[in-house]
Amino acid sequence: MDKHEPETVRSTSSYVNNGNINDHEGDMIRWFEEVSAKAGAVQTEVLCRILKENFKVEYLNKWLLVGKEEINVAEMDACALESLFTSVVPLSSHEDFEPFIQRIADGDTASILTQQPITTLSLSSGTTEGRQKFVPFTRHSAQTTLETFTLSAAYRSRVYPIREGGKILEFIYSGNQFKTKGGLIAGTATTHYYASEEFRIKQERTKSFTCSPYEVISAGDYKQSTYCHLLLGLFFSHDVEFITSAFVYGIVQAFRSFEELWRDLCNDIRHGTLSSRIKVPKMREAVLEIITANQSLASRIEGICEEVEVMDWFGLIPKLWPNAKYVYSIMTGSMQPYLKRLRHYANGLPLVSGDYGSSESWIGVNVDPSSPPESVTFAVVPTFSYFEFIPLYRHKHSCGSSHDAAAADDFVEDKPIPLSKVKVGQEYEIALTTFTGLYRCRLGDVVEVGGFHNGTPKLNFICRRKLILTVNIDKNTEKDLQAVVEKASHILHSQTNNNAELVDFTSYAELTTQPGCYVIFWEIKGDAHDHVLQSCSTEMDAAFVDYGYVVSRKTSSIGPLELCIVEKGTFKKILDCFVANGATLGQFKTPRCTNNPLLLNILHACTLKIFRSTAYA
Ligand code: AMP
C-alpha cells in the first residue's frame, strides 16, 4: 500500500469478500466499515489533529487566547479540546473567511488560516450563490477526492460489478488554472483534481480508464470537449463500462448535443477524421492519435441513431453502449429535474446517484448504489473534516415581516451538535472545520438524517438553506419551487399531443412592481397550446403551499404568478454566460432563482410569451 492510503486502511488486515471487488476495493470497504463504526471517536480525533496542527494561526488565535495567556492546546486531550473549541470559536460563514483568504490570495505568507502555507485556491461554482468564491485547496483536498471516488467505486462494484481494464465515458471538464496577485494557483476544485496525480491514481486503483485524454478534459472549450468525449466514447463503445459526469446536467447536455451532432460523429468514425469544429490544436492532435477509421462501427451507430431518433432518442444509452452497467452522477438537489430526460435516454439502465461534497470539503459517499436517486443517502466519511450539525426546525406558519431576501429564512435553529448526537428524521445545516483552514463554517445546505451506516449518519440532501423566492412574508426554497414546477410540468406533458417537455427553468421575485410577484421562466421542447401553458401558470401559483405565500396571494399583497416561455437555447446562453465568467461545465448548476442582471437580460430578451395565473382570482 502506498502513502496516499487513508491511515486506517494501512493498519487493517481483516478480510471482506463481497462479490466482484478487487483487493484495493476490499481494503477501502474494510477501512470505511471500521471508521464508520467508531465515527464519533474518529471525529474527535480529526478535530484534535486539525487544531494541534493549526492552533497558532491568526484566525484561531483570537479565540484561543484567554486574557493574555495562551491555552495549552498542544497538551490537551482530544475530548477537552473538542468542548473548548466548540464553546469558544463561533460559528462562521464564508464571508467571515473572505478577508483572510483575500490576504492569502494577495501573497501574505503569514500563518493566517493554516500552519502550512496554502499554495492553491479553489473557485466554488457560484451558481448557487450567484458569485464565485475562493476556498483553500491543499494536497489533503485532492487525497479526499481520491478517497471519495475509490470508496464509492468499491461499494458500486459490489452491486454492479464491472470488467477490470474497462473504459469510462466521462463528461468532465477542467477550467483554466490562473495565478492570483500573490502568485497562488487558482481554479475550480475539479480542475486541480484532474491535473493532479490523484486523478491518475484513481484510474489505476479502480482499474477503469477514462476514454478521453487530458487534452480533451482541459481544452477549455466545453463544446469542443463534449464533441471529443462523445467521439471517443463511441469509438470505444464496446469497452465502456459506465457513463458519468460530476453533475447529471453534464450528461443530459452532452446527449442533447449528440442529437444534433451524431451525423458528424459517425462521419469522423467512418473516416478516422476529426471535424473542423475542433480547433484547439493540442486536443486535435491527441484525439487524432487515438481514433482510426472504423466503417462497421460507423454503420452500426448510424443504424441505431436512425432507429432511436424517431422515438425522441428513447433508450439511446444502452443501444450505443451495450456493455454499460450504469450511469453515475450527482442526481440530487437541483439536479433532480434532469432525471426525467436521463431516464428517457437510459431506458432502465441503473442510475447511481453520485456522492456529496463541496469545494470546502467532501462530506459523504453513496454506499447503497441501488437506491433510486430520489431516496439516496450519503454516509458521512468521518475522517474528511470535523462536521457539526445545526438542528433546523421549520416555521410552517410563520408570518415574519422581513423584506430582506438574503436574511429571510423559514427555519429556527438550535445549538450545533456533534456527529455522534444526530437523530434520524431531523433536519440540519452542516458546519465544517477542515484541514484547509475553515473553522465551524456553515455550508448553507439543509440535510436530513435518513439513517445510519454503522455509527455514521446517512444524509438526505434536502436543499440549499437560503430562501430563493420571497416577496414579503412568503418563504420558498429551491425544493418548494422544484415541487411546484414538477407538478405543472405533468400538465405540460400529458395535455400536449407531442408530449412537450420542460428543458430547464429558473425564477425571480419581481419586486419593482406593486404588488410584487413570482416570475418563472420555462424553456420547453415541443409545442404547447396557449391554454395548456395558461393552466401550467395557474397550477404553479396554486401549488405553493407556504402559508405566507397563500395569505399574501389571497390578500393580493403578492400579484399573480407569471410564467414566461423562453425561446429554444436560452438556457444554453445562460450556461455560456457562466462559462465566459470562469465557471466550468462540470460544476455548473442552473440557478433556480436569480437576480443577476446579466441573466435577467438574457431571459427577458428571449421571452416569447407570458401567461399570468388566474389562481386566487
Ligand atoms: P461548489 O460550491 O461548487 O463546490 O458546490 C457545492 C454544492 O453543490 C453543495 O454545497 C451542494 O449544495 C451541491 N451538491 C454537491 N453534491 C451534491 C449532491 N450529491 N446532491 C445535491 N447537491 C449537491
Side-chain angles (χ1 to χ4, degrees), residues 1-18 21-37 142-158 201-202 204-207 355 365 367 381-384 453-454:
M1 243 166 258
D2 65 35
K3 63 186 162 67
H4 303 297
E5 290 288 19
E7 202 61 44
T8 16
V9 174
R10 270 181 275 164
S11 60
T12 183
S13 60
S14 55
Y15 179 70
V16 175
N17 183 6
N18 275 308
I21 58 175
N22 64 37
D23 287 352
H24 183 264
E25 289 175 335
D27 284 340
M28 285 307 288
I29 289 178
R30 263 194 303 278
W31 169 74
F32 189 61
E33 293 301 311
E34 269 181 31
V35 293
S36 60
Q143 285 174 359
T144 53
T145 304
L146 171 65
E147 284 168 26
T148 300
F149 290 162
T150 48
L151 186 58
S152 82
Y155 280 94
R156 283 201 310 278
S157 288
R158 300 204 303 187
I201 298 172
K202 189 221 63 170
E204 277 163 18
R205 294 243 176 100
T206 56
K207 299 190 170 46
D355 310 294
V365 166
V367 295
V381 182
T383 54
F384 285 173
H453 182 84
N454 299 320

Side-chain angles (χ1 to χ4, degrees), residues 195-214:
S196 74
E197 182 67 353
E198 278 76 9
F199 179 56
R200 187 189 58 73
I201 298 172
K202 189 221 63 170
Q203 303 189 51
E204 277 163 18
R205 294 243 176 100
T206 56
K207 299 190 170 46
S208 307
F209 300 86
T210 186
C211 291
S212 302
Y214 183 65

Side-chain angles (χ1 to χ4, degrees), residues 48-65 70-75 81 111 113-115 439:
C48 183
R49 265 183 60 201
I50 295 174
L51 294 180
K52 291 204 169 167
E53 244 170 76
N54 298 303
F55 70 95
K56 290 191 176 146
V57 302
E58 187 182 323
Y59 181 84
L60 284 179
N61 243 330
K62 67 181 170 209
W63 314 110
L64 293 178
L65 278 178
E70 198 176 306
I71 298 170
N72 194 356
V73 171
E75 301 292 310
L81 200 46
S111 301
L113 292 174
T114 53
Q115 201 61 42
Y439 302 95

Side-chain angles (χ1 to χ4, degrees), residues 12 54 71 103 125 185 218 269 296 311 323 326 340 344 373 391 393 438 471 514 544 554 568-569 577 612:
T12 183
N54 298 303
I71 298 170
R103 278 170 53 202
S125 61
I185 300 167
S218 63
I269 289 177
S296 63
M311 299 188 293
N323 295 315
Y326 54 85
K340 191 163 175 231
H344 184 81
Y393 301 94
L438 303 176
V471 170
Q514 271 307 326
F544 279 106
K554 281 185 179 159
K568 192 167 173 249
C577 178
R612 220 161 256 110

